[in-house]
Amino acid sequence: MAECGEILEGFLCPICKADLGSEHQLRIHFQDEAHKEHQDVFKSLKDVFEKAKKKILKIDDEVYVPEFSSNVVPISEPHSSTLFRFEPQEIGEFRCHTAYFRELRNKRLERYTAETNKLLIRLGKLMLDLPVDPLKRKTHEQAIVPWIDDRDVKLCPSCARSFNMMRRKHHCRLCGAIMCHDCTRFLELSEAKKMINMSFGSDGEPNEGASTSIVKNFPPFRPLGRSSSNNSLNSVLSLVDAKTGEQHLRLCIHCKELLETREKLKETRNLKPIISQFYERLQLYITEVDQLCTLYCKMCQSLNCGEKTHTVVEAQELRGKILTLAGSIDNLSKKIAILGTKDVENPPKGRTLQLQQNIKIATNYYLKDRVIGLPSVPTELAFKSLQESRR
Amino acid sequence: MNVVAAVKMYITQMTEESGPGMKILLMDKNTTSIVSMVYGQSEILRKEVFLFERIDSNSQYDPMRHMKCIAFLRPTKENLAHLERELKNPQYGAYYVYFSNIIAKADIKTLAEADDQEVVREVQEFYGDYLAISPHLFSLNIPICSQGSTWELSHLQRSVQGITSVLLSLKKCPYIRYQASSEMAKRLAEKIREVLSKEESLFQFRRPEVAPLLLLLDRRDDPVTPLLNQWTYQAMVHELLTITNNRVDLSHVQGISKDLKEVVLSAEQDDFYAKSLYMNFGEIGQTIKELMEDFQKRAKSHQKVESIADMKNFVETYPQFKKMSGTVSKHVTVVGELSSIVSGHNLLEVSELEQELACQNEHSQQLQRIRKLLASDRVRHIDATRLVLLYALRYEKHANNDIVGLVDALKKRGVPENLTKCISQMKEYGGARVRQSDLFGTQDAVVKITKRFFKDLKGVENVYTQHSPLLKETLEDLIKGKLKENTFPYLGKEQIRGKPQDIIVFIVGGATYEESLVVHQLNKMHPVRIVLGGTTIHNSSSFLDEVRGATHGLGRRGHNM
């Protein structure tokens, strides 16, 4: 593309270079009409694209797989005695809007994601071999993102105020648009580095290997005098920015916001507080106890009928195992209940505390239901007489 | 046709659909009541739902992205606005959104556009938009549904939503009949049919041999039932202590222990209550006594348990007993409270006269007895007023009636004006001019006499439970296929062929627990399934509020003219 002398971006058809506007359009264009002969190329391209998309967007598979299957899960019978007079009843009518909701949401988000991805790609290019020298840096920046001509913009497009000596024009390094100082934000280079690492890395963690390969000659940290824009006065004023001593890219608020939203989302998605880890372990134990209890109950029933399939010792061992596990469950739930309470300055309160305590209460109910009411194993003696009577 | 099970299945489905993990249940004021009617705290904890929050609470918390949020909301404007705001700045990691009724496509769009963080996993309609009190009884918690003699529009809307959600949750697409004399019942019928035809695709259920029937009645046709004192447990508790969403407030009782200030009476979670719901007061006392004696035998104690007071003492002195049957101690307190009200206010005598006023025609003798009770200090103002109300309803057209004299007697007694006014308001609300049915059996004397005769053959009934609500007669006619079409017309031309088996009956202006008992008994006696609903469940005082609301403004208009 570079040899054409112009920068092409967007959803381009790799064969005819037409910008189709969205992924969907591009796919239709490619699949149906234009380039039937290149289907195999398309297929491989599509796979790459899907994979890249997943990586870039950090799409959880779990997020996107619809969970309709659970709709048909049978509902357990209610236990109350008053209900037994009524014939079994299936779940009432319901209507699912999830698909429609997703369709609407995706339409909207597709735009955002495309926009964000474009910015991330540009950011990557900007950071690659970013020159230290202010003049060279400007050329570098403009080579990647063409800047809008100063003369074309009379008012700041964001706040609609006019430009003058005090309100200078600034270019967003990612979209090239002009805005006033108040409507621009700085993106620290260190931040930017993190962002592109995230988007090119293979998983959510900052990938060191990737970072070195992409930002090869990352400029050393030192105060950087900014170059002038088309106007030489700018350079004088921009020195003020340089005083902060941080290196940054000037972005318009819209570009900054898009990038920040993405970052925030990543952060929260990867967050897993201690309570979740504890809770997951608790649930693992509970699943195990459930399985063992089912097995144990069968065993007891068989023993109490005097059958020889299992031995008394076997059942007793299993019972011991269940009780040990139940002990661990009890301990773990107690730990959850007092999680963080030793922190004098910032003890858990309100909802957090209530959550912890309710987990404990629920666990108690579970243990009471499941473990305390377990049938007992007959003694060896009783078992013998049971076998006798069976004969 | 079990409405409790229907709502419960919806809630269960919600908790299961969201998969394993820590969950929070986000609700509005109404859905909070709806859920609490069918699910107990301990039960829902076992479904991994550890926190509950009101969507309108407006409180700022730290986000808990590790939790899944099940949002169960009525599709109101306010709720949608709250949810939209929540999704823009989500506190939780994932949202499973369930609306209790039909939601407009435009609203889904608004929500979808708010979900930039892609936290929503499900958006569904689960039609649990009513309070399921018993398997055959539901309420919409609308305390006063009319404004003058017409619907308050928001209440009409709520009633339409409530009833259609009952139909959807039970998968019934019924024919509709309504009470001809009631403009409100007709209006409701028409609005429901509108929904049925607009949402035709939703109401495509397997057709049974005989189509289900929706019968819409008006409280005005039977203003007597909600005025009577009750003697079966549930009805009595509601009449004397008031049940709100299965909860009874006992905080006014002197020396009540902390954990009994508010008690939950739910047949779902309380076996004793489930068994004694429809028992009469005497039987309950007996049942509790037996339970205690049984315990005594085990505890080898020789304390005598004769009176309710003894029982209370006993429970207090034996903490083990309390532990063994925690619910029983709750019921001992409730029954104790009931019995002190009954004896303190001479309710036995009052009730006996109420029953006779409701069932028998003996003007001069009854008038005398009312006068006598009006003179008694032990009788509460509210009970005195009720006697006069019943008298005024029965003898409205009697040539020698002395309604004016009795109202004067009430005034002399010092009965507050809002109560004495009820007499004329009641005439306006449910007087002879308004009613279509022969509530007191004065016209169709022959039929009534034979009925009475058969009743007498069955033996002397309890004097306190002679009365049976008009609803019983209406439903029995309906079951036999004898309900007259001029008084209960079908909406539209189509008619049911054969005797209906699935019946949903709804009373505009509120149902009562006495009527709930009747439906329970009919369900047992006949091969039918009847579900009863009302804009609310009345006791006498809430009913008088309804009457006041329904006649509010009417008197003034009369004055102006």
Side-chain angles (χ1 to χ4, degrees):
Chain A
M1 273 175 268
E3 66 269 15
C4 303
E6 56 172 335
I7 298 157
L8 289 176
E9 265 179 352
F11 292 96
L12 303 183
C13 166
I15 290 141
C16 68
K17 305 260 186 315
D19 186 351
L20 277 311
S22 78
E23 180 208 336
H24 186 64
Q25 289 296 325
L26 174 63
R27 197 176 289 177
I28 289 175
H29 162 81
F30 208 86
Q31 225 160 9
D32 298 345
E33 289 140 39
H35 313 286
K36 288 233 157 66
E37 70 275 23
H38 293 291
Q39 284 292 321
D40 49 336
V41 182
F42 170 67
K43 199 168 170 290
S44 62
L45 193 77
K46 189 179 145 196
D47 289 347
V48 171
F49 191 82
E50 295 279 285
K51 263 182 211 160
K53 188 173 152 193
K54 268 190 192 167
K55 278 184 186 173
I56 292 170
L57 301 184
K58 290 280 168 304
I59 295 171
D60 251 344
D61 279 334
E62 184 208 14
V63 178
Y64 281 85
V65 175
E67 293 161 29
F68 297 117
S69 56
S70 50
N71 284 348
V72 289
V73 169
I75 306 289
S76 60
E77 280 295 313
H79 295 292
S80 169
S81 58
T82 51
L83 297 181
F84 283 125
R85 289 193 304 274
F86 286 79
E87 69 265 43
Q89 189 172 324
E90 56 181 352
I91 189 162
E93 187 63 25
F94 57 91
R95 182 153 62 180
C96 183
H97 293 295
T98 312
Y100 179 61
F101 183 92
R102 285 217 174 104
E103 189 191 312
L104 290 171
R105 181 177 65 188
N106 288 350
K107 249 189 221 161
R108 181 184 153 84
L109 287 182
E110 207 171 65
R111 232 177 46 226
Y112 276 112
T113 351
E115 196 64 27
T116 315
N117 287 342
K118 193 171 82 187
L119 294 185
L120 284 171
I121 291 165
R122 283 180 179 180
L123 191 62
K125 286 187 194 161
L126 274 175
M127 297 296 288
L128 186 69
D129 300 327
L130 187 71
V132 183
D133 178 72
L135 271 173
K136 276 187 197 159
R137 176 167 162 179
K138 189 183 141 195
T139 325
H140 172 75
E141 285 170 348
Q142 281 180 320
I144 289 159
V145 182
W147 289 8
I148 286 181
D149 194 327
D150 277 12
R151 281 163 301 183
D152 292 347
V153 185
K154 298 280 174 272
L155 300 172
C156 169
S158 180
C159 62
R161 288 186 295 187
S162 62
F163 293 108
N164 53 37
M165 280 289 287
M166 293 308 292
R167 197 175 296 117
R168 313 293 318 164
K169 292 176 180 175
H170 297 284
H171 282 99
C172 169
R173 301 302 191 267
L174 284 182
C175 67
I178 289 178
M179 293 206 187
C180 71
H181 174 77
D182 288 347
C183 296
T184 55
R185 299 284 180 270
F186 291 120
L187 176 67
E188 306 303 327
L189 289 186
S190 50
E191 269 308 297
K193 189 186 168 198
K194 231 197 279 171
M195 279 182 188
I196 47 176
N197 280 351
M198 295 279 260
S199 55
F200 287 98
S202 55
D203 52 23
E205 313 303 319
N207 189 325
E208 286 310 313
S211 77
T212 45
S213 65
I214 284 171
V215 193
K216 269 181 230 153
N217 302 321
F218 196 71
F221 282 104
R222 67 173 181 80
L224 179 75
R226 283 178 62 257
S227 70
S228 63
S229 177
N230 289 352
N231 194 321
S232 62
L233 253 174
N234 263 351
S235 59
V236 183
L237 286 165
S238 60
L239 283 176
V240 182
D241 297 330
K243 273 184 192 160
T244 55
E246 281 284 346
Q247 304 181 72
H248 42 231
L249 288 168
R250 193 188 278 275
L251 306 182
C252 70
I253 40 171
H254 309 298
C255 291
K256 184 85 195 292
E257 219 168 75
L258 276 177
L259 290 178
E260 270 175 356
T261 314
R262 165 72 47 210
E263 283 306 289
K264 224 162 63 189
L265 211 64
K266 291 259 170 56
E267 227 166 77
T268 48
R269 265 187 199 163
N270 293 327
L271 207 71
K272 202 177 196 184
I274 298 177
I275 185 164
S276 310
Q277 295 166 25
F278 275 29
Y279 186 76
E280 267 168 32
R281 195 141 46 121
L282 187 72
Q283 289 304 315
L284 268 177
Y285 285 157
I286 284 180
T287 328
E288 199 177 341
V289 167
D290 274 341
Q291 285 164 354
L292 294 181
C293 280
T294 324
L295 189 68
Y296 175 77
C297 288
K298 268 189 207 149
M299 231 182 234
C300 277
Q301 204 184 2
S302 145
L303 283 173
N304 280 321
C305 292
E307 287 171 4
K308 273 188 184 164
T309 344
H310 307 283
T311 67
V312 171
V313 182
E314 226 182 307
Q316 274 162 347
E317 269 170 10
L318 188 57
R319 188 186 171 87
K321 207 171 161 191
I322 291 173
L323 291 180
T324 319
L325 263 173
S328 315
I329 290 175
D330 192 37
N331 279 334
L332 199 52
S333 77
K334 277 179 190 150
K335 253 193 223 165
I336 291 177
I338 57 159
L339 208 62
T341 46
K342 284 193 184 114
D343 187 346
V344 189
E345 276 169 27
N346 195 15
K349 48 183 186 249
R351 292 199 307 176
T352 317
L353 192 64
Q354 203 191 347
L355 170 67
Q356 292 175 197
Q357 287 167 346
N358 278 346
I359 291 176
K360 165 103 178 53
I361 294 171
T363 315
N364 281 352
Y365 282 134
Y366 171 80
L367 290 176
K368 219 158 91 184
D369 280 1
R370 192 80 228 214
V371 181
I372 295 183
L374 280 180
S376 54
V377 191
T379 56
E380 289 284 5
L381 212 69
F383 181 57
K384 278 211 181 96
S385 70
L386 275 167
Q387 278 180 314
E388 297 285 321
S389 63
R390 201 172 143 83
R391 275 177 218 144
Chain B
M1 295 224 302
N2 176 341
V3 286
V4 171
V7 176
K8 208 166 175 171
M9 277 192 269
Y10 279 139
I11 314 286
T12 311
Q13 175 81 354
M14 288 177 205
T15 60
E16 283 169 6
E17 220 162 52
S18 50
M22 294 179 276
K23 288 159 208 167
I24 179 165
L25 191 52
L26 184 66
M27 299 170 286
D28 61 41
K29 186 166 179 277
N30 285 294
T31 51
T32 307
S33 313
I34 292 169
V35 173
S36 73
M37 296 296 283
V38 297
Y39 252 106
Q41 169 99 1
S42 64
E43 223 175 336
I44 200 131
L45 279 180
R46 274 174 249 208
K47 294 278 177 192
E48 294 188 276
V49 177
F50 300 121
L51 290 174
F52 309 89
E53 204 184 306
R54 282 274 293 275
I55 192 155
D56 51 353
S57 69
N58 277 328
S59 28
Q60 282 300 314
Y61 297 113
D62 289 337
M64 297 177 125
R65 301 293 295 220
H66 50 290
M67 293 199 76
K68 291 176 173 179
C69 174
I70 301 170
F72 179 44
L73 304 167
R74 298 204 62 241
T76 63
K77 266 205 173 65
E78 302 80 51
N79 284 342
L80 284 162
H82 282 302
L83 186 60
E84 192 189 339
R85 211 168 50 212
E86 173 78 31
L87 292 181
K88 277 186 179 154
N89 203 357
Q91 298 183 67
Y92 310 106
Y95 287 74
Y96 298 80
V97 180
Y98 301 91
F99 288 106
S100 64
N101 220 306
I102 296 163
I103 176 174
K105 289 246 163 174
D107 291 329
I108 297 175
K109 189 160 181 266
T110 317
L111 291 178
E113 282 169 359
D115 184 24
D116 281 350
Q117 302 202 22
E118 297 181 74
V119 284
V120 174
R121 307 290 163 85
E122 288 288 342
V123 182
Q124 300 196 37
E125 289 168 7
F126 274 17
Y127 307 102
D129 205 9
Y130 53 90
L131 291 109
I133 299 170
S134 300
H136 65 270
L137 180 68
F138 69 93
S139 160
L140 302 178
N141 270 9
I142 305 170
I144 298 165
C145 66
S146 57
Q147 215 171 30
S149 53
T150 50
W151 278 102
E152 212 269 271
L153 280 182
S154 64
H155 296 330
L156 174 60
Q157 155 95 346
R158 177 70 188 94
S159 301
V160 172
Q161 287 179 324
I163 295 170
T164 44
S165 84
V166 168
L167 296 175
L168 285 166
S169 68
L170 298 174
K171 297 195 170 182
K172 304 287 170 203
C173 182
Y175 287 108
I176 305 174
R177 291 180 79 167
Y178 62 95
Q179 188 176 303
S181 65
S182 168
E183 200 47 49
M184 285 172 82
K186 188 176 179 198
R187 186 92 193 280
L188 180 61
E190 282 163 353
K191 284 278 173 192
I192 291 170
R193 191 174 57 176
E194 259 174 44
V195 177
L196 293 188
S197 53
K198 193 177 157 219
E199 302 287 344
E200 217 184 336
S201 59
L202 265 182
F203 286 90
Q204 302 287 332
F205 307 123
R206 191 169 36 86
R207 288 245 154 190
E209 221 169 288
V210 183
L213 184 83
L214 174 64
L215 178 64
L216 301 170
L217 305 176
D218 194 325
R219 182 77 268 161
R220 287 161 198 268
D221 215 28
D222 176 13
V224 167
T225 305
L227 288 174
L228 299 173
N229 264 302
Q230 299 296 322
W231 297 98
T232 51
Y233 194 35
Q234 186 182 36
M236 194 174 177
V237 172
H238 189 46
E239 177 59 40
L240 299 179
L241 299 170
T242 307
I243 303 174
T244 316
N245 296 340
N246 279 350
R247 277 154 185 78
V248 178
D249 180 12
L250 291 176
S251 57
H252 60 277
V253 177
Q254 268 195 336
I256 192 97
S257 70
K258 211 176 125 211
D259 52 338
L260 286 175
K261 279 201 169 142
E262 187 192 73
V263 297
V264 179
L265 292 183
S266 160
E268 285 294 299
Q269 295 141 40
D270 178 343
D271 281 341
F272 183 86
Y273 187 60
K275 274 184 228 144
S276 54
L277 207 53
Y278 303 119
M279 280 187 190
N280 71 40
F281 195 48
E283 290 168 328
I284 299 216
Q286 194 59 38
T287 315
I288 293 184
K289 201 177 143 196
E290 279 168 18
L291 256 166
M292 290 198 181
E293 279 171 354
D294 178 53
F295 178 77
Q296 270 192 323
K297 252 181 240 158
R298 274 191 254 170
K300 295 199 174 67
S301 140
H302 300 290
Q303 200 179 342
K304 273 224 165 174
V305 183
E306 289 298 338
S307 66
I308 298 280
D310 287 344
M311 289 184 194
K312 272 175 124 171
N313 270 335
F314 179 82
V315 172
E316 273 151 29
T317 42
Y318 284 90
Q320 305 106 298
F321 177 74
K322 202 167 163 185
K323 213 172 165 189
M324 178 184 94
S325 45
T327 55
V328 176
S329 79
K330 173 174 80 187
H331 291 289
V332 169
T333 313
V334 173
V335 171
E337 195 48 31
L338 292 179
S339 91
S340 80
I341 296 175
V342 168
S343 57
H345 303 301
N346 211 3
L347 284 191
L348 283 171
E349 205 176 330
V350 171
S351 172
E352 189 181 340
L353 182 52
E354 279 175 7
Q355 293 285 328
E356 277 175 27
L357 279 165
C359 308
Q360 286 160 38
N361 229 348
E362 277 176 70
H363 177 252
S364 55
Q365 183 244 358
Q366 288 173 353
L367 183 62
Q368 248 179 355
R369 285 172 66 191
I370 294 174
R371 288 222 170 93
K372 197 183 132 223
L373 278 174
L374 253 51
S376 159
D377 290 341
R378 280 175 71 205
V379 174
R380 293 179 299 182
H381 288 329
I382 175 82
D383 294 321
T385 312
R386 276 149 71 174
L387 287 172
V388 179
L389 279 170
L390 288 166
Y391 174 86
L393 283 169
R394 171 170 280 275
Y395 298 114
E396 190 185 344
K397 299 286 177 203
H398 194 277
N400 297 326
N401 79 37
D402 189 19
I403 299 174
V404 182
L406 286 175
V407 172
D408 277 345
L410 284 180
K411 283 179 185 161
K412 260 186 219 136
R413 206 174 183 269
V415 174
E417 202 190 343
N418 68 336
L419 284 179
T420 52
K421 267 191 177 165
C422 280
I423 317 294
S424 59
Q425 286 166 343
M426 186 62 80
K427 199 173 135 195
E428 195 74 50
Y429 178 85
R433 191 180 53 81
V434 181
R435 298 194 304 264
Q436 72 170 26
S437 307
D438 182 19
L439 184 59
F440 294 106
T442 38
Q443 294 120 20
D444 203 354
V446 182
V447 180
K448 287 278 166 178
I449 285 170
T450 35
K451 270 192 182 164
R452 168 91 34 84
F453 181 69
F454 279 114
K455 251 185 198 168
D456 287 349
L457 276 185
K458 273 188 267 170
V460 185
E461 280 188 63
N462 188 333
V463 285
Y464 305 110
T465 54
Q466 302 171 51
H467 173 259
S468 67
L470 181 66
L471 180 72
K472 186 176 181 189
E473 213 172 297
T474 312
L475 286 175
E476 275 171 344
D477 285 350
L478 181 64
I479 294 166
K480 289 179 202 144
K482 282 183 186 167
L483 195 66
K484 289 206 179 80
E485 254 177 71
N486 53 350
T487 45
F488 296 95
Y490 281 92
L491 188 69
K493 289 202 179 78
E494 280 183 291
Q495 294 192 2
I496 289 186
R497 261 176 241 128
K499 294 171 186 170
Q501 280 165 349
D502 293 343
I503 301 166
I504 294 138
V505 52
F506 185 83
I507 306 180
V508 176
T512 65
Y513 283 116
E514 190 184 346
E515 284 155 340
S516 162
L517 172 59
V518 160
V519 169
H520 171 75
Q521 286 163 342
L522 287 174
N523 277 337
K524 273 212 294 206
M525 282 175 348
H526 300 274
V528 288
R529 290 170 294 258
I530 308 173
V531 168
L532 170 69
T535 42
T536 186
I537 307 296
H538 274 313
N539 59 16
S540 62
S541 67
S542 70
F543 175 57
L544 290 182
D545 290 339
E546 175 102 45
V547 171
R548 254 176 237 129
T551 49
H552 183 75
L554 288 186
R556 224 179 329 149
R557 206 187 310 154
H559 209 71
N560 291 342
M561 276 194 282

